[in-house]
């Protein structure tokens, strides 16, 4: 009996169909998570901060890790924290001993105000989690919060965070962060919208499922819990995400709250080079967290699936944006059967739907944060989709090669204070 081998055309069509199916799953998953908070009005209500009630019940130690910073940026961050309507707040600037200029700025800003102190990290290897752990030893209050050096906190934020802890019984609360300098560059617009979608929608679906990768800014943890856990992982480039995984795996309740009025304002990376370095660092950190495997101890299969998806998705989404055009070209120019060619277009339909919905989200971003969104901004959002995907894909590939070669050096994102002019205009 003669065995009939599949033809090369059949194998190519079958392989392409499987690959397109994988792209379809990734693109649909991304769409669902991005739009979670918009389909049902009750979801938007659940994402809000609990209504303020009662007097203050907690005290706050705020750590501001700084490295090679501009005084104007640090001063603006400190002024916003000291202007909080909450009455029991201390601020700790965390700096490295090998950064004398920033140390001098921190000491100058702290002089004369007992609410402000300076923590100097003398570890031979410098990174954010090491500075955070050094500063944690100086914290005296109930809750430890982290703000980046260029973060502008809303005046009533800590009162609402205090109320969230007491209303929900959480051990950690994640507030929202919003990049605001959306007109500084073609990629800044997409970067700002990413943060808007993440904090107003996607993170709330993560909370519902039970796996929350904490952010590195506007995040608050009870000091006793943080000390119990040994602080942040000093070797991880995504120490914020790793802490969220540990808290989730150990069953510590985490709550996420969103209000555009209470979102912490920040700036986007100031160049393509800075953006790529930032996303490379995040990608490397996610590889580390995934490889560490703590997510495997999450109690339910659903939570473990969400953890796997979350830690791998940045790389999958980045590659999807480039893989879809490749599949279309292969399907058309490779003379694939008509059903295969039509199937190859489905991920593109989902991506086009996502971009169309992003246009509506950009309008809401403008309304929520009192920015005027012009026709040029909408056009730039659409036109910039593919170039932005190329940047993310490049950063993912770069992260993979750095991971394979063991290059885990910290690449800092520079802060220039561009966001401050946008806040003055509001």
């Amino acid at each position: 009996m003669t065995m009939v081998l599949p033809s090369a055309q059949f194998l190519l069509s079958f392989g392409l169909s499987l690959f397109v199916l994988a792209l379809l799953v990734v693109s649909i998953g991304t769409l669902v998570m991005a739009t979670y908070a918009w389909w049902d009005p009750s979801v938007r209500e659940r994402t809000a901060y609990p209504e303020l009630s009662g007097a203050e019940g907690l005290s706050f130690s705020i750590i501001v890790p700084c490295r090679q910073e501009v005084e104007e940026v640090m001063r603006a961050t400190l002024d916003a924290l000291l202007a909080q309507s909450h009455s029991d707040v201390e601020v700790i600037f965390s700096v490295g001993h090998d950064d004398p200029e920033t140390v001098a700025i921190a000491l100058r800003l702290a002089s004369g105000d007992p609410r402000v102190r300076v923590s100097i990290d003398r570890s031979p290897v410098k990174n954010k989690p090491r500075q955070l752990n050094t500063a944690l030893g100086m914290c005296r209050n109930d809750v430890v919060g982290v703000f980046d050096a260029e973060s502008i906190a809303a005046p009533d934020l800590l009162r609402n965070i205090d109320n969230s802890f007491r209303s929900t019984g959480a051990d950690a609360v994640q507030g929202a962060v919003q990049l605001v300098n959306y007109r500084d560059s073609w990629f800044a617009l997409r970067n700002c919208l990413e943060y808007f979608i993440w904090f107003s929608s996607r993170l709330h679906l993560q909370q519902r499922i039970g796996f929350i990768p904490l952010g590195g800014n506007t995040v608050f943890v009870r000091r006793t819990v943080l000390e119990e856990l040994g602080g942040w992982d000093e070797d991880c480039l995504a120490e914020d995400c790793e802490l969220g995984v540990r808290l989730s795996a150990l069953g510590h309740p985490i709550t996420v709250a969103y209000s555009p009025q209470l979102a912490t304002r920040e700036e986007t990376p100031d160049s393509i080079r800075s953006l790529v370095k930032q996303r490379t660092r995040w990608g490397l950190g996610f590889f580390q967290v995934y490889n560490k495997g703590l997510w495997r101890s999450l109690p339910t299969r659903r939570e473990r699936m969400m953890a796997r998806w979350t830690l791998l998705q940045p790389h999958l989404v980045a590659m999807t944006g480039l893989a879809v055009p490749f599949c279309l070209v292969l399907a058309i120019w490779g003379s694939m059967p008509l059903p295969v060619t039509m199937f190859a277009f489905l991920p593109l339909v989902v991506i086009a739907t996502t971009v169309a919905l992003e246009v509506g989200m950009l309008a809401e971003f403008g309304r929520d944060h009192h920015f005027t969104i012009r026709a040029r901004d909408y056009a730039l959002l659409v036109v910039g989709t593919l170039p932005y995907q190329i940047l993310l894909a490049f950063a993912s590939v770069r992260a993979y090669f750095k991971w394979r070669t063991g290059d885990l050096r910290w690449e800092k994102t520079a802060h220039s204070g561009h966001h401050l002019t946008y806040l003055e205009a509001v």
Side-chain angles (χ1 to χ4, degrees), residues 334-394:
S335 301
M336 298 292 171
L338 182 60
V340 175
T341 302
M342 294 178 66
F343 185 58
F345 273 87
L346 286 182
L348 181 61
V349 172
V350 178
I351 291 173
T353 301
T354 302
V355 174
L357 290 171
E358 285 176 341
V359 169
M361 295 173 190
L362 181 59
E364 184 160 340
F365 161 74
R367 288 193 298 270
D368 280 358
H369 297 282
H370 309 290
F371 294 133
T372 301
I373 307 298
R374 301 176 300 195
R376 176 182 176 276
D377 299 318
Y378 292 114
L380 194 59
L381 179 74
V382 175
V383 172
T385 300
L386 182 57
Y388 196 70
Q389 287 298 126
I390 292 173
L391 284 181
L392 297 185
F394 176 73

Side-chain angles (χ1 to χ4, degrees), residues 305-318:
M305 287 295 292
M306 175 55 76
R308 187 189 296 269
W309 169 267
T310 302
L311 296 174
L312 294 179
Q313 196 210 17
H315 306 286
L316 297 175
V317 171

Side-chain angles (χ1 to χ4, degrees), residues 132-192:
L132 289 173
N133 282 338
T134 300
L136 177 60
M138 294 179 61
C139 294
R140 301 177 292 206
N141 291 340
D142 301 318
V143 174
V144 176
V146 179
F147 283 81
D148 286 341
E150 87 284 18
S151 303
I152 306 300
D156 293 326
L157 174 63
L158 294 186
R159 284 185 61 219
N160 281 273
I161 295 295
D162 183 332
N163 187 59
S164 291
F165 271 107
R166 291 182 289 112
S167 299
T168 64
D171 285 337
V173 176
Q174 175 70 68
V177 180
Q178 183 57 63
L179 308 181
V180 295
N181 53 318
Y182 66 103
R183 284 188 180 153
D184 276 11
S185 63
W186 67 268
F187 63 83
L189 181 67
R190 278 216 152 267
N191 206 185
C192 290

